Amino acid sequence: MARKLIVIANWKMGPSGYKKARELFISEKAKAKKYRKVKTVLCPQSVLLSEFSKMQNGSVSLGAQDVSFAEGGSFTGEFSASLLRDIGVSFVIVGHSERRALGETDDAVSRKLGLAVKNGLTPILCVGERERDIHGEYLSILRQQLFLSLSGIQRKDLSKIIVAYEPIWAIGKTADDAVTPDKLHQTSLFIKKMLLERYGVSPSSLPAIIYGGSVEPDNAEELISDGNVEGFLVGHASLDAGDFGEILKSVNG
Ligand code: 13P
């Protein structure tokens, strides 16, 4: 059976203020209820996860934007995968380019993935090149990032992961600057081929590949129909319940 398409809202540090965040959660939950063919995941700032967990109601699932590389111990400011699971979180974004830019290494990403899987969370591994050169150098970068990040993951756990292809050059712009459906199609094929060669699994055991980088109501439909992906990781458009609802509608079909 085909997997459900998935749309994940990465709110990053938005919206500003508790009241607006609560309103956004309630509005997006209502949109998600309308588009049941899509799995909708909301990733608010982590301080809100515990409260929002009590408001999930079956329409949406919750995701964290990061998790600790350690299981526990003296790591001030970190929070563990087991605690996320205990409070009702099911997904976690790992290795986002904005965290890598703050110094996160492939080794830390690999440890986080392992801990997420061990604790029953679905990790969303973000990979993506800084720029697309005409010689295809970016494909080697992508390959290396993918394999180093996945080094702690066993073959049997591969299907428990989601891979988000998020080219850095396309993040935080507009639909016109996002990847085109044909380029996305090729890149998704490339990622799948790399994983098939490396792990020797059947295609049905591959992770879901999703796309992030300026997904907006204007490009969601063409990207989902021609991009060879199973969903989206949405940044700025997820801070507007109307826009987010339009994206859900396009994916719902
Ligand atoms: P934008 O949709 O704002 O480009 O952000 C993409 C992203 O980084 C999601 O994780």
Side-chain angles (χ1 to χ4, degrees):
M1 208 175 73
R3 286 185 285 229
K4 226 177 178 183
L5 297 177
I6 186 163
V7 176
I8 302 164
N10 179 7
W11 288 2
K12 307 189 180 183
M13 279 185 81
S16 57
Y18 169 74
K19 193 166 168 279
K20 282 193 186 150
R22 208 183 135 86
E23 281 166 10
L24 185 64
F25 185 86
I26 291 167
S27 306
E28 295 195 340
K29 194 173 74 165
K31 302 277 180 199
K33 203 170 174 188
K34 263 171 79 178
Y35 302 113
R36 288 287 190 165
K37 282 197 253 161
V38 185
K39 171 120 192 117
T40 303
V41 181
L42 303 181
C43 304
Q45 295 184 50
S46 55
V47 286
L48 297 169
L49 286 167
S50 182
E51 179 186 340
F52 286 0
S53 163
K54 299 180 191 95
M55 298 159 52
Q56 286 180 84
N57 241 355
S59 308
V60 289
S61 295
L62 270 182
Q65 297 175 18
D66 193 20
V67 66
S68 181
F69 61 91
E71 262 188 300
S74 304
F75 296 103
T76 302
E78 296 282 300
F79 52 90
S80 65
S82 58
L83 194 59
L84 286 176
R85 180 206 54 214
D86 285 353
I87 64 166
V89 171
S90 333
F91 292 79
V92 59
I93 298 171
V94 175
H96 193 284
S97 58
E98 288 154 13
R99 297 226 55 88
R100 292 181 191 258
L102 292 172
E104 180 156 271
T105 60
D106 287 318
D107 179 53
V109 171
S110 146
R111 290 168 70 175
K112 290 177 182 197
L113 279 182
L115 284 173
V117 169
K118 182 177 169 191
N119 285 284
L121 300 172
T122 301
I124 302 141
L125 166 65
C126 300
V127 293
E129 74 280 2
R130 185 163 298 285
E131 56 191 12
R132 257 190 193 221
D133 58 302
I134 49 166
H135 308 295
E137 186 71 21
Y138 71 94
L139 293 173
S140 325
I141 293 167
L142 208 51
R143 182 175 186 276
Q144 192 186 29
Q145 208 180 36
L146 197 61
F147 288 163
L148 289 176
S149 304
L150 286 170
S151 59
I153 290 295
Q154 292 177 28
R155 193 174 159 202
K156 68 172 174 53
D157 290 330
L158 203 58
S159 61
K160 297 179 185 161
I161 291 170
I162 293 173
V163 174
Y165 170 56
E166 289 216 317
I168 298 171
W169 51 265
I171 294 179
K173 307 233 172 99
T174 68
D176 288 341
D177 307 297
V179 76
T180 55
D182 62 319
K183 286 202 171 108
L184 179 57
H185 193 102
Q186 287 163 17
T187 312
S188 171
L189 274 183
F190 174 79
I191 293 173
K192 287 180 187 172
K193 188 165 166 277
M194 290 297 102
L195 294 174
L196 283 173
E197 278 175 17
R198 174 72 163 231
Y199 289 91
V201 290
S202 65
S204 63
S205 299
L206 284 176
I209 315 288
I210 64 171
Y211 169 74
S214 297
V215 176
E216 294 185 341
D218 283 351
N219 60 358
E221 198 173 323
E222 57 174 21
L223 287 172
I224 203 68
S225 51
D226 299 328
N228 191 25
V229 287
E230 290 181 52
F232 297 131
L233 182 52
V234 185
H236 63 269
S238 71
L239 293 175
D240 180 311
D243 284 352
F244 190 65
E246 287 302 306
I247 293 170
L248 290 178
K249 187 176 171 191
S250 296
V251 176
N252 197 64

